[in-house]
Amino acid sequence: MVDALFGRMGRLLAGETTGNGRSLAYVWCFGSSCLTATLLLPHPAAANELGLALIVGLGYLGALVLFLRAGTLPQAALEAFTYLGQLLITALALLWGAEAPFLWFHVWLVVHSFHFLAPSRASRQIVFAALLFVFATVATHSAFPAATSVVGVGTIAAIGMLVGAFRARVDELLRAAAHNAAVDPLTGLANRRAFADSYADERARSARFGTLGGLLVLDCDHFKALNDRQGHVEGDHALRRVADVIRAHVREVDTAARLGGDEFAVLLSGPDAGSAAAIGTRIQRALGSGPGPRSPTISIGVVELPADATVDLNSALAAADRAMYRAKSQGGNRVSVGALDATRPVIHEHDRPRVVAAPEAAPTP
């Protein structure tokens, strides 16, 4: 039950674009509610009740604005709300008429800042809160202002730094998890999920700027026989060798991935089918110059992607697969260029050494 409650709170307060504003709204609302409760309980006779009630109203109003506009307020406005909250906390202390308990509200805002802001910006919040804490402690004639100030400022700084350290560690773990979720552990190339994300992004970019693209599907020839004959360790070496060669022959703007088993794919930004086929040929030649058993030959299917986002990944891969299997049926170790919209892909053989030209494709009835 408690876990479900916190889960719902987390989804409500920590949305992708609204987390900062909504959680700050929660801090303001909860602080105003605590202040309301103190006004209903016995409190100093010298307390300025009208001023305190006014701050309660401002607190609830600020919480409402933050909650409703959480997704549209700029970062600077959210930081301004934090500074304003610290000023209101100081005003509460002065209006209370005696040594006030409200100064510890500063801790709430500092914790929030270190969770959502960069460390340098959150550190400025600590300095501002510390100065206001000392000022309010002295102004309210605390019995031991020096000791109270040291403990208060130390508490604010220590909690803020701890939250900042925990956030840095969580960010580090999230980056590592994101990397592991997107990278094939054997080859270091992108995995199928990351390749699908890159494909969607590249197609959207292509549609925006009107640029072509190319897709290569690469499959090792006779890989099962290599595994059976030399073992899986040698097979893994061969896959890493293929991945290294692919990586060396594509640009940073391109995406190379291992789709699974001994099948790889490369998404090229910009090249037409001819240029993509030339890149495939260079990859094959580089593999051919490598050490014997760790350099299997590969068959490559190529398709040209149009300058729009109309072709989904599955369709593009299916077309490139057809071209790749046609290359295998012609003896392997060659590049075949297929068509996206043909039931029988038109195959063009890219010139390369040691490859016999394929016969012309039969015309479609």
Side-chain angles (χ1 to χ4, degrees):
M1 179 178 176
V2 175
D3 289 344
L5 173 63
F6 284 125
R8 285 194 293 271
M9 286 182 63
R11 288 188 292 273
L12 176 66
L13 299 178
E16 185 175 347
T17 60
T18 60
N20 190 343
R22 286 188 174 180
S23 57
L24 189 57
Y26 168 81
V27 172
W28 275 60
C29 183
F30 203 74
S32 298
S33 298
C34 288
L35 177 57
T36 300
T38 61
L39 289 175
L40 298 176
L41 296 170
H43 52 270
N48 186 330
E49 294 182 348
L50 180 60
L52 293 171
L54 178 61
I55 292 178
V56 168
L58 289 174
Y60 283 126
L61 178 61
L64 182 63
V65 171
L66 285 166
F67 191 85
L68 295 178
R69 300 291 305 279
T72 58
L73 286 174
Q75 184 66 44
L78 294 171
E79 287 190 57
F81 264 97
T82 303
Y83 284 114
L84 176 60
Q86 291 175 335
L87 289 172
L88 290 178
I89 291 168
T90 304
L92 287 177
L94 299 179
L95 293 171
W96 188 247
E99 189 171 352
F102 308 113
L103 290 176
W104 301 106
F105 286 174
H106 283 299
V107 174
W108 300 5
L109 293 174
V110 166
V111 166
H112 181 274
S113 295
F114 268 97
H115 180 76
F116 284 100
L117 302 181
S120 59
R121 306 182 79 88
S123 297
R124 291 200 287 269
Q125 301 275 355
I126 282 186
V127 174
F128 191 62
L131 291 174
L132 292 178
F133 190 99
V134 173
F135 167 74
T137 299
V138 173
T140 55
H141 308 290
S142 172
F144 301 98
T148 302
S149 297
V150 168
V151 173
V153 171
T155 300
I156 292 172
I159 292 178
M161 292 173 67
L162 279 174
V163 173
F166 290 149
R167 178 198 164 179
R169 178 56 178 160
V170 169
D171 288 346
E172 181 181 333
L173 293 173
L174 289 175
R175 284 192 296 270
H179 178 269
N180 292 336
V183 174
D184 172 59
L186 177 64
T187 64
L189 299 179
N191 60 18
R192 194 180 188 98
R193 176 186 297 178
F195 189 76
D197 292 340
S198 295
Y199 183 88
D201 292 341
E202 175 59 24
R203 291 293 81 213
R205 191 199 66 79
S206 177
R208 180 179 179 185
F209 296 104
T211 55
L212 299 173
L215 176 65
L216 280 66
V217 169
L218 311 90
D219 194 88
C220 298
D221 297 324
H222 314 299
F223 185 74
K224 183 178 184 302
L226 185 151
N227 261 338
D228 293 342
R229 184 174 62 253
Q230 301 186 37
H232 290 286
V233 172
E234 196 64 30
D236 287 348
H237 285 315
L239 292 177
R240 282 194 287 266
R241 164 70 176 160
V242 172
D244 290 341
V245 171
I246 292 173
R247 190 183 292 110
H249 287 80
V250 298
R251 303 162 300 171
E252 289 188 7
V253 295
D254 303 324
T255 302
R258 180 188 177 203
L259 299 182
D262 60 330
E263 187 175 44
F264 298 83
V266 178
L267 178 64
L268 300 171
S269 175
D272 57 17
S275 299
I279 292 172
T281 298
R282 288 198 292 271
I283 292 172
Q284 286 185 320
R285 287 173 175 164
L287 280 171
S289 64
R294 295 189 183 182
S295 299
T297 62
I298 55 174
S299 297
I300 302 177
V302 178
V303 291
E304 180 181 291
L305 300 174
D308 55 45
T310 58
V311 180
D312 63 80
L313 177 58
N314 289 335
S315 299
L317 285 175
D321 271 338
R322 289 195 298 269
M324 182 268 293
Y325 282 114
R326 177 66 63 88
K328 282 187 177 292
S329 72
Q330 297 292 332
N333 194 26
R334 64 177 62 200
V335 179
S336 293
V337 181
L340 285 170
D341 56 351
T343 55
R344 295 182 182 178
V346 178
I347 304 300
H348 308 279
E349 298 303 329
H350 198 73
D351 293 334
R352 66 182 312 280
R354 298 175 286 103
V355 177
V356 179
E360 281 187 276
T364 303

